[in-house]
Amino acid sequence: PIGGDVERQWNPYLLGTLYFLGLCWCFLGVSIIADIFMLAIEKITSIDRIITRPDGTKYRVRTWNDTVANLTLMAMGSSAPEIMVNVVEITGAGFYSGDLGPSTVVGSAAFNLLVINAFCTFAILKGEVRRVKEIGVYAATSTTSILAYVWMVVILVAHTPDIVDTWEAAVTFAGFPLLV
């Protein structure tokens, strides 16, 4: 318990109510931060510039591609807690992978890949059809997701079990700009 042994003497219904209110307060804080984050992403991705053609005509071009913005800004923002848990654990354990860090990142990615896609598919009403507009982006993202899972198994289980070498970390980090 948060309050120590004294808290164990409290009424369990009171404790449940207090913990529930604390949980609601935390969710409210997360929702406020998420709203601010989404507004920041919209502001960043709405930036455009004026391009002048050789014939003198001018037109506006968006600076950010929507797909690139989603793959970078949204992914980094939503994965920041898992990444920080991983960084803290690995640096605190002499750069040995622990029980929490890699499992958290892989579990979150698996949840995003499987559960969120399942709910999105389930939400389509009977008789409605949805099509993937950017099939190339979909194929690239799917392929690199599978390759990332295979790479994680190779470096964390097969090659150097429970040890992340510097070159493995560098190759893993270099994979992100290659995807974008």
Side-chain angles (χ1 to χ4, degrees), residues 46-64:
S46 68
I47 296 172
D48 58 3
R49 59 186 175 165
I50 297 175
I51 303 291
T52 305
R53 291 185 180 183
D55 64 0
T57 58
K58 296 181 179 183
Y59 63 98
R60 291 186 180 273
V61 176
R62 293 183 65 178
T63 304
W64 280 83

Side-chain angles (χ1 to χ4, degrees), residues 14-96:
L14 175 64
L15 279 176
T17 303
L18 290 175
Y19 275 106
F20 178 74
L21 290 174
L23 185 65
C24 289
W25 184 74
C26 290
F27 279 134
L28 178 64
V30 168
S31 71
I32 292 169
I33 291 169
D35 281 345
I36 293 169
F37 180 71
M38 289 306 297
L39 288 173
I41 287 179
E42 288 175 7
K43 180 79 171 173
I44 291 169
T45 57
S46 68
I47 296 172
D48 58 3
R49 59 186 175 165
I50 297 175
I51 303 291
T52 305
R53 291 185 180 183
D55 64 0
T57 58
K58 296 181 179 183
Y59 63 98
R60 291 186 180 273
V61 176
R62 293 183 65 178
T63 304
W64 280 83
N65 178 308
D66 288 335
T67 303
V68 172
N70 284 332
L71 286 174
T72 55
L73 301 173
M74 194 63 185
M76 286 189 291
S78 64
S79 299
E82 294 91 6
I83 292 169
M84 289 309 299
V85 165
N86 200 1
V87 167
V88 167
E89 185 182 47
I90 285 181
T91 55
F95 288 91
Y96 286 88

Side-chain angles (χ1 to χ4, degrees), residues 65-72 75 109 112-114 117 132 134-150 175-176 178-180:
N65 178 308
D66 288 335
T67 303
V68 172
N70 284 332
L71 286 174
T72 55
N112 291 341
L113 182 67
L114 302 172
N117 284 338
V132 176
E134 301 286 337
I135 196 73
V137 172
Y138 177 78
T141 306
S142 301
T143 304
T144 52
S145 294
I146 292 168
L147 289 174
Y149 280 116
V150 171
F176 180 70
L178 289 175
L179 170 63
V180 175

